């Protein structure tokens, strides 16, 4: 009797002080449920963002893709190169360097579209850049990884989840297209949907960060060098994206858009690639890096947003004046 009481009530086998307790799959179930809910919410938010995209301007970016080309150079030129430089500079382990490069080779994340709205960016450019970078990632991710990771690992061992990229593309294009249609047919209703969706999107970004921290709290023990790399990487992306867009003569609102599209990576895709490409033992050393990057990319984006809103408030510019200035910049091109 004493032996049995020393075991947990859920134990299936007891032998003295030795008990076998069935593994809990609570986290796995919670992860699936939350992922499903967050995916649905994200689709609804992207639908609302599409309500701020004008078909004519969107097609204009496709026909004259100067802004998209700058974004392409930032996304698949600057980010992988920055990842490579940081990996070499901090002399991190080969497996850690590969994960940093995987992050740098990922396309832009949909959170950039939400933040582009809040900083009065060019939403038509933001959506077209995210769509094009996700589509081009089908070929550019393997190419960039082949170029940059060969000094550490055989690039053939890295598995690119093309189905996940395709799913991300569909999850972006379909709701945004519906939003564009609503904006074209019922512009007044689209404004109401946009206001609700922009607030929901801001809450969703925070929720995703909190959920990720809770689900993977046991994996936060990681090399200090990776924390430093995860801090510098998104800042470098934002800064270099903004700088390159400005050098290319883009107006301020597009510079802010390109900056967000460059530094804001698709961290969910990076996590999937990492899980598919490495063993369980290897994952213990690197799995948290996408989460670290996600946290700091959101943190610095929030700082960027706070600075911009403070600037607007200090100079007394209201939304109408900002919208007018953006229209003038577009016409001047």
């Amino acid at each position: 009797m004493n032996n049995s009481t020393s075991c947990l009530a859920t134990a299936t086998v007891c032998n003295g002080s030795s008990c076998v307790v069935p593994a809990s799959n609570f986290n796995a179930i919670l992860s699936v449920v939350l992922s499903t809910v967050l995916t649905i919410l994200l689709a609804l938010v992207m639908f609302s963002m599409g309500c701020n995209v004008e078909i004519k301007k969107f097609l204009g970016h496709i026909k004259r893709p100067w802004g998209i080309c700058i974004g392409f150079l930032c996304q698949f030129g600057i980010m992988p190169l920055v990842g490579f430089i940081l990996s070499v500079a901090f002399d991190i382990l080969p497996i850690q360097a590969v994960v940093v490069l995987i992050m740098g080779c990922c396309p832009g994340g949909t959170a950039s579209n939400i933040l582009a709205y809040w900083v009065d960016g060019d939403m038509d450019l933001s959506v077209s850049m995210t769509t094009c970078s996700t589509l081009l990632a089908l070929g550019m991710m393997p190419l960039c990884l082949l170029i940059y990771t060969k000094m550490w690992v055989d690039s053939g061992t890295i598995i690119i989840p093309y189905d996940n990229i395709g799913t991300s593309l569909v999850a972006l294009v379909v709701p945004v297209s519906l939003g564009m249609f609503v904006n074209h047919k019922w512009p007044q209703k689209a404004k109401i949907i946009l206001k609700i969706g922009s607030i929901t999107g801001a809450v969703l970004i925070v929720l995703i960060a909190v959920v990720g921290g809770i689900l993977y709290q046991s994996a936060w023990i990681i090399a200090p060098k990776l924390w430093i790399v995860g801090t510098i990487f998104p800042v470098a992306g934002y800064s270099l994206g903004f700088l390159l867009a400005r050098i290319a003569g883009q107006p301020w609102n597009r510079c802010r858009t390109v900056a967000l599209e460059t530094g804001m990576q698709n961290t969910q895709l990076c996590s999937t690639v990492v899980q598919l490409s490495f063993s369980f033992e290897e994952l213990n050393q690197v799995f948290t890096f996408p989460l670290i990057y996600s946290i700091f990319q959101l943190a610095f984006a929030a700082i960027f947003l706070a600075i911009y809103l403070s600037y607007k408030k200090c100079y007394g510019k209201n939304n109408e004046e900002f919208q007018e200035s953006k229209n003038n910049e577009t016409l001047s091109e």
Side-chain angles (χ1 to χ4, degrees):
M1 181 66 68
N2 290 336
N3 288 343
S4 61
T5 56
S6 64
C7 291
L8 296 173
T10 54
T12 55
V13 179
C14 294
N15 183 15
S17 61
S18 177
C19 306
V20 178
V21 181
S24 172
N25 61 347
F26 174 76
N27 259 22
I29 296 173
L30 182 63
S31 179
V32 172
V33 172
L34 288 175
S35 295
T36 304
V37 173
L38 292 176
T39 300
I40 295 172
L41 286 175
L42 185 60
L44 293 174
V45 169
M46 293 314 299
F47 165 70
S48 69
M49 293 295 104
C51 290
N52 196 37
V53 176
E54 296 180 22
I55 297 176
K56 187 177 180 180
K57 290 182 178 179
F58 179 81
L59 293 177
H61 284 299
I62 301 298
K63 292 177 182 177
R64 292 177 296 176
W66 181 230
I68 295 176
C69 290
I70 295 171
F72 171 81
L73 179 59
C74 292
Q75 195 72 62
F76 298 110
I78 289 178
M79 290 303 282
L81 179 60
V82 170
F84 179 81
I85 292 172
L86 288 174
S87 299
V88 173
F90 285 93
D91 193 26
I92 56 179
L93 297 174
I95 186 174
Q96 295 171 340
V98 171
V99 174
V100 171
L101 285 164
I102 291 173
M103 177 61 74
C105 295
C106 282
T110 50
S112 60
N113 307 127
I114 301 169
L115 288 162
Y117 169 79
W118 282 104
V119 298
D120 297 319
D122 188 332
M123 286 300 298
D124 308 283
L125 176 61
S126 178
V127 171
S128 59
M129 281 181 63
T130 305
T131 304
C132 291
S133 70
T134 304
L135 181 62
L136 292 170
L138 294 169
M140 291 306 299
M141 274 191 76
L143 177 61
C144 290
L145 289 171
L146 174 65
I147 294 172
Y148 286 105
T149 64
K150 59 184 179 182
M151 70 176 287
W152 288 296
V153 69
D154 180 8
S155 61
T157 61
I158 303 174
I159 302 173
I160 308 296
Y162 294 102
D163 53 340
N164 288 71
I165 297 176
T167 302
S168 298
L169 191 61
V170 172
L172 171 67
V173 172
V174 173
V176 168
S177 299
L178 292 174
M180 292 169 64
F181 177 76
V182 171
N183 188 29
H184 179 70
K185 286 288 187 180
W186 306 284
Q188 293 303 318
K189 292 182 179 179
K191 290 180 181 178
I192 298 173
I193 295 172
L194 177 61
K195 288 181 179 179
I196 297 172
S198 62
I199 296 172
T200 305
V203 174
L204 183 62
I205 289 174
V206 176
L207 183 61
I208 290 174
V210 172
V211 168
I214 293 173
L215 285 180
Y216 303 105
Q217 56 184 325
S218 60
W220 287 109
I221 301 175
I222 197 168
K225 288 182 180 180
L226 276 188
W227 280 97
I228 299 173
V229 172
T231 305
I232 297 175
F233 204 173
V235 176
Y238 291 138
S239 303
L240 293 173
F242 187 92
L243 182 62
L244 183 61
R246 196 58 193 166
I247 291 173
Q250 295 298 295
W252 292 108
N253 67 316
R254 290 189 180 179
C255 291
R256 295 191 295 270
T257 303
V258 173
L260 288 170
E261 290 292 330
T262 304
M264 191 73 62
Q265 297 292 83
N266 190 334
T267 53
Q268 293 90 348
L269 179 61
C270 178
S271 295
T272 302
V273 174
V274 171
Q275 290 182 69
L276 291 174
S277 303
F278 299 108
S279 66
F280 179 77
E281 291 76 15
E282 292 172 328
L283 285 175
N284 287 332
Q285 302 179 54
V286 297
F287 182 68
T288 312
F289 181 76
L291 299 175
I292 294 172
Y293 187 97
S294 180
I295 288 173
F296 283 110
Q297 76 174 1
L298 293 175
F300 287 113
I303 295 171
F304 178 31
L305 175 59
I307 293 172
Y308 176 71
L309 294 177
S310 299
Y311 172 82
K312 284 178 64 176
K313 186 176 181 180
C314 290
Y315 284 82
K317 293 187 176 182
N318 56 35
N319 291 334
E320 288 74 23
E321 289 172 333
F322 266 86
Q323 187 63 44
E324 183 179 354
S325 67
K326 288 195 297 182
N327 292 336
N328 291 337
E329 287 173 336
T330 303
L331 290 174
S332 66
E333 291 185 289

